[in-house]
Amino acid sequence: MSRFSEFLNKLSDHASKQCIDGDDGSHTYVQLIEAVAAWSTHFDELDVAAGTVVGVRSDYSLQAIAAVLALLVRKAVVAMIPRDRDVSTYLKDAHAAAVLEFSASGKYEWRRIPHATSHVLIEKLRSQGDGGIILFTSGSSGRPKAALQGLERFLYKLRNPGRPYRTLAFMLFDHIGGLDIAFHTLAAGGTLILTRRRDPEAVLELIERYRVEALPTSPSFLRLVCATPINVQHDTSTLKVISYSSEPMDPSTLVRLSERFPNARITQKYGTTETGSPRSISRPDDSLWLKFKEGVETKIIDGVLWIRTECAILGYLNATSPVDEDGWYCTGDQVDVDGEWIRVRGRVSDTINVGGEKASPTEIEQVILEQDFVRAVIVFGEKHPLMGQVVAAEISVAPDFDTKDAAARVRRHCRQRLAPHKIPVRILFTDQDLTSARQKLQRRGVQGG
Amino acid sequence: MNADQGSIAAMNAGQNELVTPTEQKVAMLWSEVLQIPLPRAEDDFIELGGDSMTLVMTEYRIMEDFSIQLRAGAMLEARTVRALAQLIDAEQRKSAESSAPASADFG
């Protein structure tokens, strides 16, 4: 039996349990299965054949999830189209032959795309009779890459889906983290809590109202939660697990989180589009360290993590393959190693070279975050005629915060904790949010001096 | 006090004392960046333990604190507190002149 058939059987087993709650109303697994059947009939009428690439552009909803599942039932390839950029470029890069777009009101539009081209990797999937998923990388270092994943490979990690939690669908539907959470929650028989609101105030209110047990999110968002003053006290005691991925976490935020959510276990996930979010566990006493579960091989070359896993993507549709001929993927993440545990320090590509001395933005950010008035910080390299690069920092503070002495405080603190070349020479303050729609820090490349 | 008055005051006060407000600000900045007691007017940045990193740091701070532009490495040629203070005063005069209203030319 295929992994996808097993997954569908699990949905049937959960029958009358609640699968969706939140802003989109309450629905059971039976209702989800009925919606999948209705979409299957509709796709028959629309003549959607196996192997057809269909772009889906939507936030989470019962209908959007059902449509994605119905497309996968017929072994189509679903391209999850982000909603933040020009749709036509994404559709072209995905080789999409049609697009299904849901509006916030739940209405949908189906559109065929004439003259869609194919790609050798998609042809390979078709010949294997497997469905597929296309996810776009965030594109922080250039054009977003269209990463193709085979459906059976994607489902590899769902063999033991874990406990059925009431999980807030915080990560976006088009993001590996979001899609992964949706499949995990459904496979386990949990409930996905859907929301259109993703600000700290709203999330705290949702935890109380829908008795949320699991909050999968990003370090940037959790920092924002810790920095948000408590105006209304919400009961968040139902929260059992807070998981974070996408970026390195800092110890100060972990301390603040455990004070604010004393009942919740805090864990780290290692999620990249390319490695398909392989399963991992966090060290019980310190979630900054993690190790991968079975099915994942790792090696460290020059301090950089390489991964070989069955969950890895088949390749990019608009760039050369990131996986070498032996199946290894260079993550680009600089890591510390302690036996079988690893700790992510940051991206190699973000490393700042100050007159030949290396400075990791993550390390510097973690030190700056120890100051309680700092809501978020991005450290980046700035070009310098003598040093090559120097360290600069942009710090987000509350709108009414007096920044007069703040730079001096940050410099004084950095001087105590960091080598001289790591102390920011330029410090900028903003009251703006520094995160993207995907709740990640919007990193800059090296800036002109 | 303009730069000439500052130089005269410096001669009157003895060579190594901090005289002008700019000299005093520069000395306090060096003290902070190099983590040393307050330097004297003719002390040399490199001899006080300054290196390329602290030099760059100091130049950035000067640009920020005095709202002027400095060429990278300008401090290599203005290595004493006094020389650097004079350079800052000159840059401040230059930027004040360039931003003065056009009618002043006919004043």
Side-chain angles (χ1 to χ4, degrees), chain A residues 137 149 223 252 279 345 372 395 398 417:
Chain A
T137 61
Q149 176 64 287
R223 276 181 210 119
S252 323
R279 296 197 74 178
R345 297 187 68 85
D372 54 10
I395 296 174
R417 305 269 285 103

Side-chain angles (χ1 to χ4, degrees), chain B residues 36-73:
Chain B
I36 54 166
L38 205 63
R40 294 168 303 173
E42 293 297 340
D43 282 349
D44 181 292
F45 186 80
I46 305 298
E47 286 171 12
L48 289 172
D51 58 14
S52 56
M53 198 58 244
T54 42
L55 183 137
V56 168
M57 210 178 281
T58 309
E59 287 183 350
Y60 269 84
R61 288 290 301 280
I62 287 168
M63 289 192 280
E64 191 181 309
D65 294 355
F66 293 92
S67 305
I68 56 167
Q69 284 299 312
L70 272 191
R71 182 173 50 80

Side-chain angles (χ1 to χ4, degrees), chain A residues 354 382-387 390 407 411 415 420-421 423 425-427, chain B residues 32-33 35 52-57 59-61 64-65 72-73 76:
Chain A
V354 185
E382 189 170 282
K383 280 185 190 166
H384 190 275
L386 298 181
M387 307 300 283
V390 289
R411 271 194 292 264
R415 199 177 297 124
H421 71 279
I423 301 170
V425 296
R426 190 193 292 283
I427 299 175
Chain B
E32 182 197 324
V33 173
Q35 297 285 285
S52 56
M53 198 58 244
T54 42
L55 183 137
V56 168
M57 210 178 281
E59 287 183 350
Y60 269 84
R61 288 290 301 280
E64 191 181 309
D65 294 355
L76 289 170

